[in-house]
Structure formats: C-alpha cells, structure tokens
Amino acid sequence: MIHTEIDYVGIGLDITDIGQLMVEESIHYQYPDWSVGERKAAVFERIYQADFSVDGMALIKASIIAFHQSKKI
C-alpha cells in the first residue's frame, strides 16, 4: 500500500491525539476529584512545560481553570 503525504499527516495527527488522550487519562487516574479545568490545565502543563516559564505557565493554567469555571455558570 502506497501512502501519500496527506496519509502521513493524518497518521501524525492521530498519534498526537492518542498521546494527548494518554496524558489526560493519566492525570484523571492520579487526580480523580479534580475539576475539568484543573485536569485540562494539568494536561497543558505536562505537554508544554518546556515551552513556557514558570510564571507564564501559572498564568495559562489559571486562565484555563477560570475558563472552565465560567462555563458552569
């Protein structure tokens, strides 16, 4: 079977999605009582921790949590 460049892009995106799902499940397993916002913030931190400063990451995580809390209202 011959794969096109589009096939390889799709495969790459699928692998990325699977990796993110694994991180999400790992965090949910470790912290089952966390809110959706807390879990999503933790996922973001685990995936992108090398790309942001400690202060920048704290701001982003607070924004993610606040966003998800505001959706509840």
Side-chain angles (χ1 to χ4, degrees):
M1 179 177 187
I2 299 174
H3 292 286
T4 66
E5 290 179 13
I6 299 297
D7 293 332
Y8 287 119
V9 170
I11 292 168
L13 292 173
D14 288 345
I15 290 170
T16 301
D17 290 345
I18 291 167
Q20 182 167 341
L21 183 60
M22 290 172 63
V23 171
E24 289 172 4
E25 291 297 321
S26 169
I27 290 169
H28 182 65
Y29 179 77
Q30 284 181 292
Y31 308 101
D33 296 333
W34 278 11
S35 68
V36 172
E38 289 171 315
R39 286 196 307 263
K40 293 208 179 268
V43 169
F44 185 89
E45 180 177 34
R46 190 165 303 167
I47 294 172
Y48 297 106
Q49 63 189 353
D51 297 331
F52 296 94
S53 67
V54 172
D55 292 339
M57 183 59 73
L59 288 171
I60 293 167
K61 286 174 54 181
S63 296
I64 292 169
I65 292 168
F67 172 77
H68 285 280
Q69 286 175 342
S70 71
K71 288 174 56 174
K72 290 181 184 180
I73 298 173

